[in-house]
Each structure stands twice: as structure tokens, then as C-alpha cells.
Amino acid sequence: MFKLSYSLADISTASSIYFVIPVACTVTKVWGCLQGTIITADSVVTCYNNAGASMGTLTVAFTGSAAGDIDSLTPSSNNTFTAGQMMRIATDGGSANTVAELFVIECTQTA
């Protein structure tokens, strides 16, 4: 098992981060850790594989949000990668306030 970590600069602005999966693996878990307080509405974060298929979503709730809030996703499909493929994490930007979100992606190497 290994972990990758990436940061999305502003969960409240519709945007994506793209990164390389360095070895053949299965993504087994994605955690998101909010870096501040969001307001107005939830932000929905979607994880995509190299083909653009969704692995699932994390909903970052605005009600009671604070730095350190953790959400997670345990993908059960579209979560296998070969070495060098791209993964994308996207936010719908549904919330307000400029707040970063740190992601940790847990992977099990398959080859």
C-alpha cells in the first residue's frame, strides 16, 4: 500500500486537479481534509479515473464546517490504474469562501 497527497487550492471554485498515478494500482480510499470554513452550500468533489469515469463523490458539508473536517470515499468501481495514468479530482464549487482541501489517496499496488 502507498499513499499520494494533493491539494485543491479552492474547493469553492469549480476546478480540477490532475496528477499521475506512478504505478499499477487500485485506489482503495480517498480522504479530503478541509483547511477552513465553507459557507452557503455543500461542495461535491468527484474523483475520476484516466478514462474520465467517476469513482464516486465526497460531499463536503458547509453546515458546521471547520478546518480539519474529514470526508472520505471508498471507490468500488473505475478505480484501477496502470503505471503513468492520470487521475482527476474535481469540485463543483458549490460552496463559498476561498478554502483549500487536502486529499490523501490510498492505493494498493497491483504489479
Side-chain angles (χ1 to χ4, degrees):
M1 177 186 9
F2 64 95
K3 294 179 176 78
L4 304 167
S5 62
Y6 297 94
S7 182
L8 187 62
D10 181 11
I11 197 167
S12 298
T13 298
S15 59
S16 297
I17 53 173
Y18 300 81
F19 51 91
V20 173
I21 301 292
V23 297
C25 67
T26 299
V27 173
T28 56
K29 193 85 165 181
V30 178
W31 287 277
C33 185
L34 194 60
Q35 303 298 298
T37 301
I38 58 174
I39 60 172
T40 308
D42 297 345
S43 280
V44 178
V45 175
T46 306
C47 298
Y48 297 95
N49 69 9
N50 190 67
S54 173
M55 290 190 275
T57 61
L58 298 87
T59 299
V60 182
F62 81 97
T63 302
S65 69
D69 285 356
I70 297 172
D71 297 291
S72 66
L73 161 67
T74 304
S76 59
S77 63
N78 303 317
N79 59 334
T80 58
F81 292 83
T82 59
Q85 286 189 320
M86 174 273 302
M87 181 175 163
R88 176 170 69 111
I89 297 177
T91 176
D92 69 352
S95 59
N97 280 356
T98 302
V99 177
E101 175 102 352
L102 177 65
F103 295 95
V104 175
I105 299 94
E106 181 179 280
C107 306
T108 301
Q109 190 167 344
T110 56

